Amino acid sequence: MGLAGRGSCEKPFAKAVVAGTFDRLHEGHRELLTLASRVANKLLVAVADGRLLLGKRLRELIEPFERRRGRVEEFLRQIGAEYEVVRIEDPVGPAGGDEELEAIVVSEETYPAALSVNRVRRERGLRPLVVVVLPMVLAEDGAPISSSRIRAGEIDGKGRRLSS
């Protein structure tokens, strides 16, 4: 009898990275983190801070790093994920050098970042990561759920419209 006969489902990757600002943890973030936990035994979650926030819409309203990290950790505990959360202040972060990583989990919006990570890894003589892409999670108005839309008061964390 093979592994499948034991009633368990082996995850395809030992360790994956997922990164983001994770401001106002919303449904899109939850789906991204859940997907990552389903494909990897251990997660490296990189929470953006510092200069990575400079180009964000309404960045002055972004929650403090500790609050964002705490909400990510609370959600990961709820879904039973094994994880490590780190702060990053550059676009590649530890994904550019962690030899244990096998995959990177991104949204459609952040797919180009995964390509950049893999370029850096190749330059450093490391194997590229398998890229797992989550389609954008849409709000009830058909546009993607995003932290900037929540900060602007357009939608809530589940994608429900707040203003007309």
Side-chain angles (χ1 to χ4, degrees), residues 4-57:
R6 294 185 190 165
S8 66
C9 180
E10 188 64 27
K11 295 179 182 180
F13 306 107
K15 186 176 180 184
V17 64
V18 59
T21 304
F22 297 108
D23 183 45
R24 289 164 174 76
L25 197 73
H26 57 65
E27 202 58 34
H29 295 138
R30 289 183 189 91
E31 289 198 25
L32 184 70
L33 292 167
T34 298
L35 173 61
S37 75
R38 288 182 178 155
V39 301
N41 293 319
K42 182 170 184 182
L43 301 180
L44 176 60
V45 183
V47 179
D49 204 28
R51 65 186 180 101
L52 291 179
L53 307 183
L54 293 178
K56 300 285 184 183
R57 181 173 150 218

Side-chain angles (χ1 to χ4, degrees), residues 68-118:
R68 292 182 286 123
R69 180 178 71 186
R71 288 189 174 153
V72 166
E73 289 175 341
E74 179 183 346
F75 180 74
L76 292 168
R77 281 191 300 273
Q78 287 174 3
I79 63 171
E82 184 180 340
Y83 64 89
E84 175 187 4
V85 176
V86 298
R87 178 191 315 243
I88 59 167
E89 295 191 24
D90 71 87
V92 176
D98 188 330
E99 295 182 16
E100 294 178 355
L101 288 172
E102 297 175 351
I104 183 169
V105 182
V106 296
S107 67
E108 288 175 292
E109 180 183 45
T110 57
Y111 177 74
L115 300 179
S116 294
V117 166
N118 276 339

Side-chain angles (χ1 to χ4, degrees), residues 59-73:
R59 78 170 185 264
E60 67 278 3
L61 299 178
I62 293 175
E63 297 170 317
F65 172 80
E66 293 300 330
R67 181 176 299 152
R68 292 182 286 123
R69 180 178 71 186
R71 288 189 174 153
V72 166
E73 289 175 341

